[in-house]
Amino acid sequence: MVVTENKIKESLSSITSEILNGTNYNRSEFARNILNYPAMMVPSVQEPIIKSLSETFKGEVSLFDPFMGASNTLVTGMKYGLNVFGQDINPLAVLLSKVKTRYYSKDELLISEDSIKSRIEKDTSIKKEVRFHNIDKWFKNDVQIELSRIHRAIKQESNVGIRQFLWVTLAEVIRLTSNDRTSTFKMHIRSKDDIENRNLSPIKYFFSILKRSIKDLNDFCSVLIDNELIKENKYVKDVDVVWGDSLKIINTEKSFDLLITSPPYGDNQTTVTYGQFSYLPLQWIPIKDIDDKISFEYLKTIQQIDSNSLGGKMLDDFSHKKENLFQKSRTVKLLFDTFNSEEQVKAKKVINFVHDLDKTIDNLLGKLNKGAYLVWTVGNRNVNKQVVQNDNILIDLLSSKKVELITDLERDILSKRMPGRNNFSNTMNKEKILIFKTTAN
Ligand SMILES: C[S@@+](CC[C@H](N)C(=O)[O-])C[C@H]1O[C@@H](n2cnc3c(N)ncnc32)[C@H](O)[C@@H]1O
């Protein structure tokens, strides 16, 4: 049966606002709670879209997310038996995604819980396992000692998949027990009084988060089992998540039918500082347990991940690249014209970001099959009291490459962990889901 574009539009437009706003979904079904990564997609939003689009293909369907973050899109694709591939520049996102897309049997998780508990309980050493610049600013002494006991116990685990799961658990403990405030994604030290008055036991946190995460992973794995997608303790289709800079290269030979993603909405420094959010946990996790291709350089400074992400670096040959971009997007040109000479630094940042996004899109299109669908969830933001219309910019850029919009949906952001309004933008209460299709021949 050939599914016409009208049928797809019809089926997508029947997705209710309740579903799009993610009010009624079961978080644990998608292992969404195991680490509180910033700006996670709401799986219930993706689910009906993935279901509807994947049904339009005959045979195997493959899904790709070049900015996978916490891999909620990939995990939703797995529920529908798709081949999935994801890439992200942030090592913490890669670690989390490896864990969420791997099948863990209930028994192996429970055995690992018992053995790590007994190793931690026996350890009375006060030796500290990790040193880095300013560690004493970010962690109290007794917190470092307990984190070191957990660290030693995880290192003794022989199975790398289990170690990865335990490192993710430790990452969540670090988020909650460091001296960094949890209210922002930027690194922001707590007040002196607050630090002194907090009496924290990372080991207690670890045990309770471990229990909750085992339940979450089991719930997700049960969904896969019920859908007959697990054989011989493995997901029956292809699943691969890698570390990589999507602006430079997509690290796979495969090609895809669906690209479903939510890109950053601007450079990380001024939008969501994914890198700063990940800096402290990454100091405690051995990089070779995440992906042996990751360069250690990425973890050396707090700014490194953010400045290597989309829009994080100033362009060479700015005027030429800017003019080139104006040819592709009238929305960018009109926006740029509103900035006066004192506002050029901000204007340049917007141009850098859109330039990087445009180059990344070229890389992505090279990996898509004919007739592939692209689903982009984007939000607009404010820079200098001007709205950066990421939705229209994306439509312009893709249209300049002959990829046309077929339909769009709008949702309120109710259940997404975004920075507070004041430090980001006041247009962040709505998100657009834009659906495009590449030509079929
Ligand atoms: C909005 S998040 C993605 C949310 C994700 N779809 C989810 O469901 O959780 C954007 C991600 O893009 C990543 N990113 C930014 N620049 C990148 C680049 N050049 N290459 C790959 N990933 C990048 C960030 O690290 C971040 O994890």
Side-chain angles (χ1 to χ4, degrees), residues 294-306:
I294 297 174
S295 119
F296 186 69
E297 293 298 307
Y298 270 75
L299 316 175
K300 265 198 185 147
T301 71
I302 296 173
Q303 307 303 339
Q304 204 76 30
I305 297 176
D306 290 323

Side-chain angles (χ1 to χ4, degrees), residues 37-41 65-73 87-90 93 244-247 261-264 268 274 308-310:
Y37 193 75
M40 285 197 277
M41 300 286 282
D65 186 347
F67 305 106
M68 73 183 156
S71 69
N72 289 310
T73 303
Q87 176 164 301
D88 203 288
I89 200 167
N90 185 339
D245 181 351
S246 299
L247 168 65
T261 197
S262 166
N268 288 8
Y274 297 94
N308 278 303
S309 297
L310 285 200

Side-chain angles (χ1 to χ4, degrees), residues 120-286:
I120 291 173
E121 277 160 359
K122 276 188 212 133
D123 188 341
T124 52
S125 165
I126 56 162
K127 181 168 176 261
K128 294 182 198 158
E129 295 295 325
V130 168
R131 289 306 307 161
F132 61 90
H133 179 62
N134 267 344
I135 186 169
D136 297 329
K137 169 178 169 189
W138 295 108
F139 296 94
K140 286 167 88 167
N141 187 51
D142 47 348
V143 168
Q144 288 180 46
I145 290 172
E146 287 204 5
L147 289 176
S148 296
R149 289 182 188 156
I150 304 171
H151 189 274
R152 275 192 292 278
I154 299 178
K155 274 177 94 176
Q156 285 170 43
E157 167 62 52
S158 57
N159 178 314
V160 66
I162 297 287
R163 281 205 303 278
Q164 287 169 334
F165 166 60
L166 297 170
W167 291 131
V168 168
T169 313
L170 180 68
E172 183 67 353
V173 174
I174 288 169
R175 191 179 77 80
L176 297 169
T177 62
S178 76
N179 297 336
D180 185 20
R181 290 172 201 239
T182 47
S183 53
T184 71
F185 302 131
K186 284 208 161 108
M187 288 182 71
H188 190 186
I189 194 87
R190 286 169 186 269
S191 71
K192 238 177 151 187
D193 282 354
D194 189 8
I195 294 173
E196 265 163 32
N197 294 332
R198 284 172 96 217
N199 240 332
L200 300 167
S201 163
I203 290 179
K204 276 198 190 136
Y205 273 90
F206 184 80
F207 291 157
S208 93
I209 293 167
L210 187 62
K211 201 164 250 350
R212 189 189 72 194
S213 300
I214 289 178
K215 182 180 177 315
D216 268 15
L217 277 183
N218 274 332
D219 285 353
F220 173 57
C221 290
S222 310
V223 172
L224 298 182
I225 292 173
D226 291 348
N227 294 353
E228 297 181 3
L229 293 166
I230 300 296
K231 289 218 172 84
E232 292 167 7
N233 282 332
K234 272 185 84 172
Y235 180 59
V236 291
K237 298 290 168 62
D238 274 359
V239 46
D240 197 9
V241 298
V242 299
W243 175 72
D245 181 351
S246 299
L247 168 65
K248 294 197 181 126
I249 188 170
I250 309 297
N251 290 312
T252 182
E253 297 294 312
K254 295 172 195 155
S255 59
F256 302 92
D257 308 302
L258 296 177
L259 179 144
I260 304 191
T261 197
S262 166
Y265 296 166
D267 66 287
N268 288 8
Q269 300 290 359
T270 54
T271 57
V272 180
T273 51
Y274 297 94
Q276 288 197 44
F277 168 84
S278 313
Y279 177 77
L280 292 176
L282 287 172
Q283 302 303 316
W284 285 85
I285 301 171

